[in-house]
Amino acid sequence: MSLSLRHATLDKMQPHHLNRLAVFTGSAHGASTEYTTAAEEFARTAVKAGTNIVYGGGKVGLMGVVADSALAAGGDVIGVIPESLVHGEIGHPGLSTLEVVPDMHIRKTRMADLADGFVALPGGAGTLEEIFEVWTWQQLGLHAKPVALYDVDGFWQPLLEMLDHMTEQGFISSRFRETLIVETTPTALLNAMSAWQPQAPKWPATMDTTAEPRGL
């Protein structure tokens, strides 16, 4: 399904089968060894649960840790990397599949099409941009897939405080704030993603164009 062509169909009866997760995380290792350990554990746990990985295709940082750990556990790992970043992010040569695409927009859309859900591990600006985009797509009804944060050692707590502030100030509706999954262990995260149920999208298919917009 192309995200740009149609809205998702909501199914509130069946649990999500997480055949493949899109993982967003840093091209650096970060300041704490906890991040590397958590990335390794997440990848191993996902593969053990029958969930494979799609990610940005790089060999460096936590991106590379996730890929290497999933491969070592016997998982299938698909990398999607734009031509401009093959050398900068050092495209991983040992993946099950490495797709080289023309640009970042196609990279993100391709990853979203391949994935049954999305999870962000610790990372920087790129990780934030990627996870917020797919969370926004979820709210707009462009997909009906779970979006989650793996909160390693409290990494995401400052961000969650900001999201709560946005909700209190009326810029994010409480029903959409609640759709964002946050867990501190890989098993709890995968279970929550499997059990997740979508909300109706922000904008109904037939809407009053004179109505005031609602906050995301």
Side-chain angles (χ1 to χ4, degrees):
M1 179 190 76
S2 172
L3 292 172
S4 62
L5 294 180
R6 67 178 186 179
H7 276 55
T9 299
L10 301 184
D11 183 351
K12 294 196 175 185
M13 299 301 293
Q14 300 296 326
H16 290 268
H17 178 62
L18 302 175
N19 178 61
R20 189 182 295 118
L21 283 181
V23 178
F24 307 128
T25 190
S27 58
H29 286 88
S32 171
T33 58
E34 286 292 323
Y35 303 143
T36 297
T37 299
E40 293 170 343
E41 183 184 10
F42 171 81
R44 289 193 300 265
T45 303
V47 171
K48 185 177 179 180
T51 299
N52 295 300
I53 302 296
V54 58
Y55 83 116
K59 185 180 180 180
V60 296
L62 295 185
M63 296 170 65
V65 171
V66 169
D68 288 339
S69 299
L71 290 167
D76 184 73
V77 181
I78 298 175
V80 184
I81 192 167
E83 294 174 357
S84 62
L85 294 181
V86 168
H87 299 294
E89 289 187 355
I90 311 177
H92 198 305
L95 303 178
S96 308
T97 304
L98 178 62
E99 297 186 11
V100 180
V101 297
D103 56 47
M104 288 290 290
H105 297 292
I106 294 175
R107 176 201 223 179
K108 292 184 291 183
T109 301
R110 178 60 177 155
M111 288 175 65
D113 285 340
L114 288 168
D116 301 306
F118 310 90
V119 58
L121 279 63
T127 301
L128 283 176
E129 187 265 343
E130 289 167 326
I131 199 69
F132 272 108
E133 182 166 56
V134 294
W135 191 35
T136 301
W137 287 350
Q138 181 198 83
Q139 294 169 37
L140 295 176
L142 299 180
H143 69 76
K145 303 173 183 180
V147 177
L149 301 176
Y150 180 19
D151 191 24
V152 179
D153 198 26
F155 180 83
W156 293 117
Q157 288 305 307
L159 176 65
L160 295 172
E161 290 176 9
M162 188 65 206
L163 293 179
D164 289 339
H165 176 66
M166 291 176 175
T167 304
E168 291 167 0
Q169 296 303 310
F171 291 102
I172 300 176
S173 70
S174 58
R175 71 187 181 100
F176 287 129
R177 172 66 182 85
E178 292 169 1
T179 64
L180 183 63
I181 296 166
V182 183
E183 294 291 348
T184 59
T185 69
T187 298
L189 185 142
L190 292 169
N191 288 342
M193 294 184 79
S194 295
W196 179 85
Q197 296 295 336
Q199 291 278 346
K202 178 185 178 184
W203 304 117
T206 302
M207 62 182 177
D208 178 2
T209 57
T210 65
E212 287 292 324
R214 292 170 287 173
L216 281 174

